[in-house]
Amino acid sequence: MIDEISIPFYCNKVYSGFAQTQGLILTDNNHIVIEFETKDALIKLLSSGIKSVKIPYDALLSIATKSMKYVANIPGNENNIFSCQIKKQNIDLAKLLISQVQLQMAEIKLSKYEK
């Protein structure tokens, strides 16, 4: 079981700089959850609404996903990798999230070998 973590993120150069995305990266026992909203960068009135993507830990390969279907709808993804910015004050929390996700991935692999 892992601690639930929530980290705010942003992506300023979505759709060639015409939009910005803000959201949260969350963890639970089975998934990384990415909640986000994309707004136009000019007048900030047009919004995608809040969207959510769940990525199971066993669908991750290091920092990339095994399939594009998990990140295809997240603005700013490229080659199965979702890239975003995190504020400096959240770096330690981000490192903790990465450690917990890697531990969860290792436990999943280990449980498959034990079967």
Side-chain angles (χ1 to χ4, degrees), residues 54-71:
K54 282 187 169 186
I55 305 171
Y57 292 120
D58 63 355
L60 295 171
L61 291 169
S62 182
I63 60 166
T65 57
K66 292 180 182 177
S67 172
M68 289 181 66
K69 69 182 178 182
Y70 297 108
V71 293

Side-chain angles (χ1 to χ4, degrees), residues 96-111:
L96 178 61
L97 181 138
I98 291 167
S99 294
Q100 288 194 356
V101 168
Q102 289 173 334
L103 177 62
Q104 195 70 9
M105 289 171 58
E107 288 178 359
I108 289 168
K109 287 180 184 176
L110 187 59
S111 71

Side-chain angles (χ1 to χ4, degrees), residues 39-104:
K39 294 183 178 181
D40 70 287
L42 301 174
I43 55 176
K44 297 184 185 352
L45 290 177
L46 301 175
S47 170
S48 67
I50 297 173
K51 296 182 179 183
S52 180
V53 174
K54 282 187 169 186
I55 305 171
Y57 292 120
D58 63 355
L60 295 171
L61 291 169
S62 182
I63 60 166
T65 57
K66 292 180 182 177
S67 172
M68 289 181 66
K69 69 182 178 182
Y70 297 108
V71 293
N73 294 325
I74 303 173
N77 87 81
E78 188 174 313
N79 299 322
N80 298 1
I81 298 172
F82 165 63
S83 176
C84 64
Q85 291 83 40
I86 296 172
K87 291 188 177 181
K88 193 174 187 177
Q89 70 241 27
N90 294 318
I91 296 232
D92 289 337
L93 195 55
K95 288 177 182 178
L96 178 61
L97 181 138
I98 291 167
S99 294
Q100 288 194 356
V101 168
Q102 289 173 334
L103 177 62
Q104 195 70 9

Side-chain angles (χ1 to χ4, degrees), residues 16-44:
S16 300
F18 289 104
Q20 298 173 329
T21 297
Q22 293 184 25
L24 293 172
I25 300 171
L26 312 151
T27 59
D28 65 25
N29 285 329
N30 302 309
H31 304 89
I32 289 179
V33 181
I34 301 173
E35 294 179 347
F36 61 94
E37 181 177 34
T38 302
K39 294 183 178 181
D40 70 287
L42 301 174
I43 55 176
K44 297 184 185 352

